[in-house]
Amino acid sequence: MAAVARSAVDDTEAGIGSDELLRRVEVAASIDLFSWPVADPAAEMARELGIAPRATARTARGGNGPVALLGDLSSRIAGGELDVALISFGEAFSAFKKAMAGGDDTATWPQQDAQVAPTWSVGADRDPSNAAELAAGMLAPVFFYPLFEHALRGAAGRSRAEQADIAARLWARFAEVARTNPHAWAEDPPTDPAALGTPSADNRLVSDPYPKLLNANIAVDQAAALVLMSAAAAESAGVPRDRWVPVHATAGAADHWYATERWSLDRSPAIAACGAAALGHAGVALDEVAHLDLYSCFPSAVQVAAGELGVDLLDPGRAPTVTGGLTFAGGPANGYVLHALATLVGRLREDPEALGVSTAVGWYLTKHGFAVLGGPATEPGAPFAHHDVQAVVDATPRRDTAHGEMVSAPVETHTALFDHTGTPTIAFATGLTADGRRAVGKSQEPEVIAALVETDPIGAPARFDGAGGVTL
């Protein structure tokens, strides 16, 4: 974190020099860390850099954290509360994983005194699953994003093969971009859709319909940093104008918190509201944005965002990522979007009259962020603002869950998890009852798993027992 922070400061080319600019940092901030879960990582980073900022900040859990923090600090700068802030983030999850596998005592890794805490925290968090989801054992992204993929398929009336082709061709575009990214974790990712979408010895099925190469890769060691300054501070520090990348607007909101309570599993009112607010503030349409990074933990996340924002994912003139995404560039827990933002800075300096957008996602398409940046030659049409559009999202319809009672309902969407031998071990399904409630259940019965994996079960009659089980 300290090394990449210093690199970011050097990258400003400030006339006063990097050491003096570091001394002017008033707030040091960090994204929530997974592999080093101390209370205030920015404080340790500041000590490593030999600086004494007057405040530290950190985000709550969630991949939306970088945009939330960017919005918070930019709002404080715009409001005259501070002039210079430094955001840094680093994960050593690959090293952490190897240490755990080797039996290392990770309790000996650097610790922080229990009384240490950041000056403030950005964002909020809570348990991501409700009682119905917990009863069905749905406890991680790998359970939910495949459900969204099949929900997209069902809504569009596509076959399994047609949907799989869309996901594979999309990820091939991400792999092509990763090949041009010198910071990407995957040095030589396959760009053939067939290789990406077809299960093999090196690309085992993880969940239906996703093989390994269509999943985010958290086992990376990566860091990124941003320097935020007021225009006056940048001028005072002698930062050349061709290094400035103005933040035009940010926005944030959460969809209805529990996935099974959302009206449609192929939609995101929060993404739509965030995009409308931030782009509206910037006075531009998304078609006018040259550089785009849609949060890409799984293909379904990208497709849902594209649907809400009106993005053509196969547009040859604009890829939906600037990094290569969380599979190929790397998905370091909560911090991926900081890499996207840092990459956008470079892209926009090279294309000074252009605009760039980065979206952000936390949990199961739950928490969202949207940021609009501009090249050095762009002039924001209005002073910076962060838009909290939660009230807009909260006003959209939601569903009750049919938890605690047995109901019959046609299968709405489904998935299954596979072991390392390629055998499905547990399957999941949701269904919509005649009165509009959503039921969710799992099964380890071979005949139910086979029906959900080997056929197209969408619309098939199912029985949900109200305690987390399903039969067909």
Side-chain angles (χ1 to χ4, degrees):
M1 288 174 66
V4 77
R6 181 170 283 279
S7 293
V9 171
D10 291 343
D11 186 64
T12 67
E13 299 181 1
I16 60 173
S18 295
D19 289 343
E20 176 58 27
L21 181 54
L22 273 171
R23 283 191 286 270
R24 295 187 183 187
V25 170
E26 299 162 274
V27 176
S30 172
I31 313 303
D32 179 72
L33 303 186
F34 190 93
S35 56
W36 189 46
V38 295
D40 190 7
E44 192 62 36
M45 175 194 69
R47 279 192 288 273
E48 188 81 14
L49 290 168
I51 61 175
R54 61 178 171 83
T56 59
R58 67 168 293 167
T59 64
R61 289 180 299 178
N64 64 311
V67 169
L69 188 57
L70 177 66
D72 176 86
L73 293 173
S74 296
S75 295
R76 293 173 188 267
I77 290 173
E81 295 179 40
L82 64 99
D83 281 312
V84 184
L86 177 63
I87 303 174
S88 187
F89 165 86
E91 284 289 0
F93 192 83
S94 177
F96 181 83
K97 189 175 178 181
K98 291 174 183 176
M100 294 292 287
D104 287 6
D105 181 8
T106 54
T108 65
W109 288 26
Q111 301 296 306
Q112 199 169 55
D113 291 342
Q115 69 271 21
V116 174
T119 310
W120 72 81
S121 296
V122 176
D125 197 39
R126 52 184 164 131
D127 291 339
S129 299
N130 62 16
E133 295 159 7
L134 291 172
M138 299 180 67
L139 304 172
V142 72
F143 295 82
F144 285 91
Y145 286 90
L147 289 176
F148 302 149
E149 187 76 34
H150 281 301
L152 286 158
R153 178 174 73 81
R158 300 187 189 107
S159 68
R160 279 179 172 272
E162 289 170 334
Q163 189 68 32
D165 181 63
I166 288 172
R169 285 192 293 139
L170 174 59
W171 245 227
R173 294 211 71 187
F174 278 74
E176 289 169 357
V177 173
R179 282 175 173 257
T180 69
N181 179 0
H183 305 295
W185 188 256
E187 295 181 356
D188 190 27
T191 57
D192 176 16
L196 291 167
T198 304
S200 65
D202 296 327
N203 190 28
R204 71 175 183 86
L205 271 173
V206 175
S207 62
D208 177 20
Y210 293 147
K212 181 179 178 181
L213 290 176
L214 270 60
N215 284 254
N217 179 16
I218 196 176
V220 298
D221 301 331
Q222 293 180 315
L226 295 176
V227 180
L228 298 178
M229 309 174 72
S230 67
E235 289 176 343
S236 172
V239 177
R241 285 298 297 257
D242 63 4
R243 312 304 287 170
W244 293 26
V245 175
V247 186
H248 289 239
T250 58
D255 275 310
H256 297 321
W257 193 264
Y258 303 117
T260 54
E261 296 176 13
R262 297 172 199 159
W263 192 256
S264 299
L265 296 181
D266 64 311
R267 300 295 305 272
S268 171
I271 292 176
C274 286
L279 291 168
H281 183 91
V284 298
L286 197 61
D287 286 346
E288 300 174 73
V289 174
H291 305 283
L292 183 62
D293 198 90
L294 300 181
Y295 195 85
S296 52
C297 50
F298 296 87
S300 60
V302 180
Q303 293 170 75
V304 170
E308 298 296 351
L309 299 171
V311 174
D312 178 359
L313 292 174
L314 298 180
D315 177 0
R318 183 179 65 178
T321 180
V322 295
T323 67
L326 279 81
T327 299
F328 308 115
N334 299 319
Y336 163 78
V337 175
L338 203 63
H339 292 263
L341 293 168
T343 304
L344 278 173
V345 167
R347 288 280 191 96
L348 292 168
R349 284 173 175 165
E350 294 171 357
D351 194 3
E353 295 183 356
L355 294 171
V357 157
S358 177
T359 70
V361 173
W363 286 121
Y364 316 137
L365 275 182
T366 308
K367 300 191 285 186
H368 301 275
F370 196 103
V372 181
L373 309 183
T378 64
E379 288 291 338
F384 170 83
H386 174 75
H387 297 266
D388 182 340
V389 291
Q390 193 60 54
V392 176
V393 181
D394 289 345
T396 62
R398 71 172 72 215
R399 294 188 186 274
D400 292 329
T401 57
H403 182 59
E405 63 177 289
M406 185 172 289
V407 298
S408 295
V411 172
E412 173 196 25
T413 186
H414 60 98
T415 188
L417 297 188
F418 291 74
D419 65 19
H420 284 267
T421 70
T423 302
T425 58
I426 187 169
F428 304 86
T430 71
L432 296 179
T433 64
D435 61 3
R437 293 177 296 160
R438 181 175 282 114
V440 58
K442 65 180 178 183
S443 178
Q444 293 178 283
E445 295 298 323
E447 65 274 12
V448 176
I449 294 175
L452 290 171
V453 170
E454 298 173 9
T455 69
D456 183 352
I458 293 177
R463 189 80 168 168
F464 297 85
D465 66 11
V470 63
T471 57
L472 273 69

